[in-house]
Amino acid sequence: MSNLILSIENLYKSYGATEVLKDINVSIQRGEFLVLVGPSGCGKSTLLNCIAGLEEVNAGAINIGGRDMVGVAPKDRDIAMVFQSYALYPTMTVGKNITFGMKVRGVDAATQAKKLADVAKLLQIEPLLNRKPGQLSGGQRQRVAMGRALVREPQLFLFDEPLSNLDAKLRVEMRTEIKRLHSNLKASIVYVTHDQIEAMTLATRIVVMKDGIVQQIGTPSEIYNHPANMFVADFMGSPSMNLIPATVEALPTGLAIKIKQENGTLELMDDTKIKGLKMGAKRELLIGLRPENITNPTANSRLVAPCRIEVVEPAGSDTFITTSLGEKPITARLRADTVVSPGAEIDLAFNLASASYFDAGNGERLN
Amino acid sequence: MEWLQKHMPKMVLAPSFMAILLFVYGFIAWTAYISFTRSRLLPKYEIEGIIQYERLAQSPRWDVAMTNLAIFGILFIVISMVLGLLLAILLDQKIRTEGALRTIYLYPMALSFIVTGTAWKWILNPGLGIELVIQGMGWESFEFNWLTDPNMAIYTVVIAGVWQASGFVMALFLAGLRSVDQEIIRAAMVEGVSTPRIYRSIIIPSMAPIFMSAFIVLSHLAIKSFDLVIALTGGGPGYATDLPATYMYTMAFSRGDLGQAASSATVMMMVVMAIIVPYLYSELRSRHDG
Amino acid sequence: MMDNLVKDGSLRQVALRAGLYAVLIIFALYYLMPLFVMIVTSLKSLDDIRTGSLIGLPRELVFDAWGKAWSGACTGVKCEGLQPYFWNSVLIAVPAVMISTVLGAMNGYVISQWRFKGSDFIFALLLFGCFIPFQVILLPMAIVLGKMKIAGSIGGLIFVHVVYGLGFTTLFFRNYYITIPVELVKAAKVDGAGFFRIFWSIFMPLSAPIVVVTVIWQFTQIWNDFLFGVSFSQAGTQPITVALNNIVNSTTGVKEYNVDMAAAIIAALPTLFVYVVAGKYFIRGLTAGSVKG
């Protein structure tokens, strides 16, 4: 058996004249946890529905477990799906919800009972089996929905924003639980969410989408540290990456990047990184720096500049401050014990080694 | 098998679709077509132009029917709406017996118009009915013979119609009153706005869609009104209480004048469409937007 | 409304409150009066009716009119009372209600959960069909019923009621099923259930409330129908509304108001019964049928 569980090639999907998925190419290996993430309307749920066979595609191929899925009904795709609204059958008990699929497929009663018992034990929902969905809390419903998927033991699990209807605390708990299930069961999962933290914490690989186009595919660390374009940089991470407008100037000593400041200009000289930029003739760019790369200066800090503090937001473990660079608000992440107050000036250290550079025109990454 | 699964929804809907296409739209087309012929007892299919509509225009009886529709329609709709709104507002004041009162106000809607007509025909009976009751109370000269007075008989239809439908309008409005956002009302109360003012400036304006619905239903009832007139006055005295619906029926089934029946039905259809189409259009549109 | 027209207990407020109740009760009497008149009249002797007052109680209770209305009153030539027509109405209403409800449920299920290109258009066509004045289809329907050899038969009336009830029954079910998330069907599809299995195992068990509303609505409509009854029936197949009208308007003999009233009550009893027993669903049907588009 091949290790390639799912492969999608040149997939297109449109509703009437509006294209919702454009040239999607994604594949996942056995045991991978692939997260599709993007703002609402980016096509991620549509893509999941296409994988499940709940929506037809206009062009392109979907392979699951090496089988072409054209014309294959959802039930024959060897998948299981967990929905945002859980989609529990309201008139059936929890037990019946979990066994309904087996019943439809004609699995014998003894097997049904055994599998139900196994799943109920795994998810710790044994006491709930005779209740109706209406009598369950959100978290319990979520577990039942997962139970219904797990009992199928499919090649591929599909999760459609399964946690977004839960309150914040429960969401974090269930996130951990899903991660544990994934590593225990060695399951292959495609998981849709709009929550970038969920994507970062759960995924082995992330697909960032926008307007039906894949923006970047990579591990969480690749996505976080080397965003392919400004959209990814801005969308992933919280608070999001600072994008500081700057200009490139050729000085006798070499190339320099200049950032407008409140009074005067901040100049970044002859960094080797700058030389490597695929700049062409353009002079405008944006420097992407995560808040953690703008911090309290230390003895080794190479670039330190005074900045005026506009807003202070203590977050307990850190203190975030907002200042202005290139006429845009910039967030810096300082040690929690830093004594700061709005209006004051403070020296900030810029860690350019981690910086991303983006084309001011098309937003593509330059380094 | 897969093919069958895939097309099952269409196959399930198909019979109803065909039925509606034929029995609603096909029939409307047929009736409209016949209205341009000289059909009498049997349908003829040679188009003769607007002769039937000219006959309608010249028919004093049709004139009476249309005038009656205007009188009945306007009074029936306006009185039912006013009464319904009044009752709804009164019932909305934390009335302890609200449930029972609501049941009483609304039960006429469960009755057939034939039953309603029969009952009111007896109550309005000149001689033995309400007239006698009032006379018995001491007002010896009281006269109430609208039922047999050609000029007044149409108003008895209004009386019975309002009696039957106003409770329903009340139920609609009451549901509307209750669905107004409580926070807005509380906000107004905090600002010291008086209760009548809250009704006038906040609640009632926000019920515009309900007014629309009530208007649609009532006008629909008014245009279709047939049974009530038949049971209450039989269209009489003479044809003083004829409505388009009874006119059409008489032409179709008593006079054997299919052309007149078809043209009068087509005019009714036009009147309904003038009211319904913009309403349905906006309803369907707003659903797509939302 | 959270507040009252009247809040504190001052004299003026008490008076206002009393006035409010008085107005409400007067209206209640207004709505009840015809029913009261019908009942007392039906229990009076003809003599009592001629000499007494419309709203006076019977001098002595006489039940003859009820017996006569049920089995002896004349509808034109025949004098069998309402009884045979009552059963005609039952024979028409029961199958017509069942068939139109089942079809409406299937249609609503498709239109709300299995949408396809054109299904919204079909829904719009059905919806518009709810609003046409039936006069516009009377003539061709009479001809078609004749061609189908069911003119003047109970079967013909059932057919007519089913066809013209479809719009409303579909509307009811569609508006109910549209509130059920589409994910339910998706989940069931992934579970391997097909079109009918999903309907039967998942939607049907959910449908009790809307089935009640639809059945009540359809039953009331069909039982109370007069236009189709009078247009498409013949001597032996008339529904009760037509028979009642014939009794009341039969010109032969003495006018027996007590029999008329008893007959009217008999004709109204089934729908009144439904209203009293299941008024909540009745109102829901009325408002659902009118408010939502």
Side-chain angles (χ1 to χ4, degrees):
Chain A
M1 217 192 231
S2 150
N3 269 334
L4 188 65
I5 293 292
L6 168 73
S7 80
I8 296 170
E9 282 163 20
N10 310 108
L11 184 136
Y12 285 84
K13 164 83 185 165
S14 49
Y15 296 116
T18 39
E19 273 200 326
V20 286
L21 294 175
K22 287 168 222 165
D23 198 16
I24 306 287
N25 288 281
V26 176
S27 64
I28 81 167
Q29 303 289 321
R30 182 175 306 279
E32 261 200 286
F33 197 129
L34 185 81
V35 174
L36 306 177
V37 67
S40 63
C42 74
K44 55 193 190 299
S45 285
T46 308
L47 179 55
L48 197 74
N49 279 320
C50 289
I51 297 171
L54 294 166
E55 302 252 14
E56 286 180 26
V57 303
N58 295 77
I62 297 177
N63 263 267
I64 297 177
R67 280 195 307 144
D68 182 20
M69 286 292 132
V70 171
V72 178
K75 65 184 163 81
D76 301 322
R77 294 192 172 205
D78 200 7
I79 52 163
M81 195 158 172
V82 177
F83 295 89
Q84 177 174 4
S85 67
Y86 319 131
L88 299 180
Y89 310 129
T91 54
M92 300 183 197
T93 61
V94 166
K96 292 249 170 62
N97 259 284
I98 294 174
T99 55
F100 180 69
M102 290 191 282
K103 200 172 138 202
V104 170
R105 288 193 304 279
V107 174
D108 66 87
T111 316
Q112 283 187 30
K114 172 155 189 334
K115 288 198 173 185
L116 173 62
D118 289 350
V119 164
K121 185 154 181 266
L122 181 68
L123 294 170
Q124 297 160 359
I125 51 173
E126 287 130 318
L128 308 178
L129 291 183
N130 289 319
R131 295 214 203 145
K132 295 264 178 80
Q135 301 164 297
L136 304 180
S137 69
Q140 289 170 329
R141 283 181 215 187
Q142 171 61 46
R143 279 166 192 276
V144 177
M146 300 233 296
R148 194 168 64 183
L150 288 175
V151 80
R152 284 202 73 165
E153 297 168 8
Q155 278 201 61
L156 180 63
F157 286 96
L158 306 175
F159 285 81
D160 190 1
E161 308 224 13
L163 302 182
S164 50
N165 281 0
L166 299 176
D167 64 53
K169 188 162 173 287
L170 209 49
R171 189 152 54 210
V172 175
E173 281 173 31
M174 287 306 294
R175 202 166 73 197
T176 316
E177 187 126 353
I178 290 175
K179 186 141 196 178
R180 184 180 307 131
L181 278 170
H182 170 246
S183 55
N184 289 351
L185 298 170
K186 311 265 184 295
S188 313
I189 296 174
V190 179
Y191 185 109
V192 164
T193 182
H194 64 267
D195 179 345
Q196 48 87 21
I197 297 179
E198 240 171 80
M200 293 295 291
T201 49
L202 286 171
T204 57
R205 268 195 314 148
I206 294 175
V207 178
V208 185
M209 294 179 66
K210 182 196 169 203
D211 299 337
I213 299 170
V214 172
Q215 304 291 312
Q216 188 173 7
I217 303 180
T219 63
S221 126
E222 281 165 6
I223 300 273
Y224 189 78
N225 294 317
H226 299 282
N229 55 38
M230 267 163 56
F231 171 76
V232 178
D234 185 53
F235 187 74
M236 301 299 287
S238 174
S240 52
M241 184 182 268
N242 295 304
L243 295 167
I244 310 162
T247 51
V248 180
E249 279 180 30
L251 302 178
T253 47
L255 288 174
I257 291 182
K258 292 192 169 175
I259 302 170
K260 260 198 207 161
Q261 236 188 327
E262 190 184 13
N263 33 24
T265 317
L266 186 63
E267 205 166 276
L268 317 177
M269 279 298 294
D270 202 9
D271 194 300
T272 44
K273 263 195 148 177
I274 304 175
K275 276 184 185 161
L277 296 183
K278 297 167 275 184
M279 274 298 290
K282 293 185 198 113
R283 328 210 92 247
E284 310 278 316
L285 54 62
L286 288 119
I287 304 172
L289 267 179
R290 298 262 173 216
E292 59 265 34
N293 292 322
I294 308 177
T295 56
N296 308 75
T298 62
N300 313 337
S301 297
R302 290 185 48 205
L303 180 71
V304 176
C307 297
R308 183 165 311 284
I309 298 169
E310 288 166 5
V311 181
V312 180
E313 292 171 288
S317 56
D318 308 285
T319 294
F320 292 97
I321 62 133
T322 306
T323 178
S324 273
L325 276 180
E327 295 169 336
K328 291 219 346 204
I330 299 300
T331 306
R333 184 167 163 182
L334 308 182
R335 283 196 314 271
D337 58 2
T338 318
V339 180
V340 283
S341 54
E345 275 209 344
I346 187 173
D347 277 344
L348 294 176
F350 294 79
N351 177 11
L352 287 179
S354 308
S356 303
Y357 297 89
F358 300 103
D359 188 317
N362 61 17
E364 291 302 315
R365 187 180 183 85
L366 296 170
N367 60 324
Chain B
M1 196 55 211
E2 286 298 331
W3 185 89
L4 202 64
Q5 267 300 332
K6 206 176 152 198
H7 293 278
M8 192 56 81
K10 288 175 199 166
M11 284 158 64
V12 165
L13 209 51
S16 298
F17 174 60
M18 299 305 284
I20 290 296
L21 215 54
L22 177 61
F23 296 119
V24 174
Y25 298 92
F27 280 11
I28 292 173
W30 190 90
T31 302
Y33 184 92
I34 289 298
S35 74
F36 292 109
T37 70
R38 278 184 197 273
S39 303
R40 297 294 297 204
L41 204 52
L42 290 171
K44 288 190 199 133
Y45 294 98
E46 293 86 40
I47 293 276
E48 296 279 354
I50 58 166
I51 167 102
Q52 299 294 354
Y53 295 94
E54 285 168 2
R55 283 180 66 203
L56 274 187
Q58 286 154 13
S59 158
R61 183 164 180 176
W62 177 252
D63 191 46
V64 168
M66 288 303 268
T67 312
N68 279 342
L69 178 62
I71 295 173
F72 172 68
I74 291 169
L75 288 179
F76 171 68
I77 292 170
V78 169
I79 299 176
S80 295
M81 291 251 237
V82 170
L83 203 57
L85 183 61
L86 176 70
L87 286 175
I89 291 177
L90 293 182
L91 263 190
D92 195 26
Q93 308 305 323
K94 283 191 183 160
I95 300 301
R96 226 166 281 151
T97 49
E98 186 198 309
L101 287 171
R102 228 175 33 203
T103 308
I104 291 170
Y105 294 166
L106 193 55
Y107 86 91
M109 205 62 190
L111 304 180
S112 160
F113 272 117
I114 298 292
V115 173
T116 303
T118 304
W120 281 94
K121 184 179 187 162
W122 167 231
I123 292 165
L124 300 175
N125 184 315
L128 291 174
I130 200 92
E131 186 179 278
L132 196 65
V133 175
I134 306 281
Q135 286 171 355
M137 285 170 162
W139 186 356
E140 300 283 341
S141 62
F142 181 78
E143 260 190 50
F144 194 81
N145 57 355
W146 287 9
L147 207 50
T148 50
D149 179 346
N151 291 322
M152 301 306 284
I154 189 66
Y155 298 101
T156 63
V157 184
V158 175
I159 293 173
V162 166
W163 177 79
Q164 172 132 0
S166 50
F168 160 66
V169 182
M170 178 277 302
L172 266 187
F173 281 142
L174 195 58
L177 290 175
R178 300 264 153 94
S179 67
V180 175
D181 186 356
Q182 292 298 322
E183 293 217 334
I184 299 175
I185 295 168
R186 280 196 207 118
M189 284 167 71
V190 168
E191 288 190 37
V193 183
S194 70
T195 305
R197 182 89 206 216
I198 289 178
Y199 272 105
R200 208 170 60 237
S201 309
I202 299 172
I203 301 178
I204 292 176
S206 76
M207 296 204 320
I210 308 256
F211 277 93
M212 198 63 212
S213 298
F215 173 74
I216 294 289
V217 175
L218 290 173
S219 55
H220 188 231
L221 279 177
I223 295 163
K224 285 215 292 199
S225 269
F226 171 71
D227 359 17
L228 187 59
V229 173
I230 295 289
L232 189 63
T233 65
Y239 52 75
T241 51
D242 245 4
L243 287 176
T246 56
Y247 180 89
M248 183 273 161
Y249 186 84
T250 309
M251 291 303 151
F253 294 97
S254 323
R255 294 279 188 86
D257 193 341
L258 292 192
Q260 276 296 282
S263 58
S264 56
T266 307
V267 172
M268 288 176 67
M269 183 72 205
M270 297 298 200
V271 176
V272 170
M273 274 173 56
I275 296 170
I276 297 290
V277 167
Y279 171 73
L280 280 188
Y281 184 72
S282 68
E283 282 278 306
L284 290 170
R285 236 174 90 109
S286 67
R287 202 172 56 231
H288 281 301
D289 295 346
Chain C
M1 271 299 278
M2 293 293 293
D3 61 326
N4 305 329
L5 271 178
V6 280
K7 285 184 208 76
D8 54 62
S10 73
L11 197 62
R12 190 168 159 269
Q13 306 291 12
V14 172
L16 211 67
R17 194 97 188 132
L20 178 66
Y21 273 93
V23 172
L24 285 170
I25 288 167
I26 288 169
F27 273 112
L29 293 178
Y30 160 69
Y31 285 104
L32 282 175
M33 186 268 288
L35 187 64
F36 173 77
V37 168
M38 282 161 81
I39 294 172
V40 294
T41 306
S42 76
L43 296 172
K44 286 176 185 172
S45 66
L46 271 181
D47 226 28
D48 195 352
I49 290 172
R50 273 192 218 98
T51 53
S53 158
L54 182 74
I55 52 171
L57 291 172
R59 269 177 232 135
E60 56 173 327
L61 286 179
V62 186
F63 291 95
D64 296 356
W66 283 76
K68 191 163 184 198
W70 179 245
S71 57
C74 298
T75 56
V77 227
K78 285 190 190 164
C79 294
E80 310 163 297
L82 278 181
Q83 190 186 6
Y85 308 99
F86 186 92
W87 298 120
N88 280 349
S89 274
V90 172
L91 282 179
I92 294 163
V94 171
V97 168
M98 286 186 344
I99 297 168
S100 58
T101 303
V102 169
L103 287 175
M106 299 301 297
N107 290 345
Y109 173 57
V110 170
I111 290 169
S112 61
Q113 299 283 337
W114 294 80
R115 297 166 64 160
F116 54 86
K117 208 174 172 161
S119 63
D120 276 355
F121 176 67
I122 295 179
F123 178 56
L125 287 185
L126 278 164
L127 197 58
F128 183 73
C130 294
F131 291 102
I132 59 162
F134 289 131
Q135 280 75 16
V136 85
I137 54 88
L138 280 186
L139 295 173
M141 188 47 107
I143 295 172
V144 167
L145 288 176
K147 292 247 162 76
M148 291 166 72
K149 308 268 184 249
I150 48 174
S153 71
I154 298 276
L157 280 169
I158 293 173
F159 176 78
V160 173
H161 282 299
V162 168
V163 168
Y164 296 107
L166 274 181
F168 271 111
T169 58
T170 302
L171 174 69
F172 286 156
F173 279 97
R174 180 259 176 209
N175 282 350
Y176 185 75
Y177 288 151
I178 201 91
T179 62
I180 297 174
V182 287
E183 291 188 335
L184 217 54
V185 167
K186 289 185 179 178
K189 275 187 190 170
V190 173
D191 263 343
F195 180 84
F196 286 108
R197 181 76 183 239
I198 297 174
F199 180 66
W200 190 250
S201 299
I202 295 164
F203 282 78
M204 236 20 228
L206 276 173
S207 305
I210 197 64
V211 168
V212 173
V213 167
T214 310
V215 165
I216 288 175
W217 168 269
Q218 278 298 85
F219 178 76
T220 313
Q221 291 299 306
I222 296 172
W223 187 272
N224 288 343
D225 162 71
F226 179 74
L227 182 62
F228 290 155
V230 76
S231 303
F232 302 135
S233 67
Q234 57 195 33
T237 58
Q238 285 158 338
I240 193 162
T241 45
V242 177
L244 169 64
N245 191 53
N246 288 347
I247 288 178
V248 174
N249 290 320
S250 74
T251 43
T252 49
V254 194
K255 199 89 207 79
E256 294 175 298
Y257 297 109
N258 48 1
V259 176
D260 290 355
M261 292 304 123
I265 297 170
I266 291 172
L269 270 182
T271 48
L272 269 184
F273 174 77
V274 167
Y275 174 63
V276 170
V277 171
K280 190 175 71 172
Y281 295 101
F282 177 84
I283 296 166
R284 210 172 292 166
L286 278 181
T287 41
S290 56
V291 179
K292 294 173 187 163

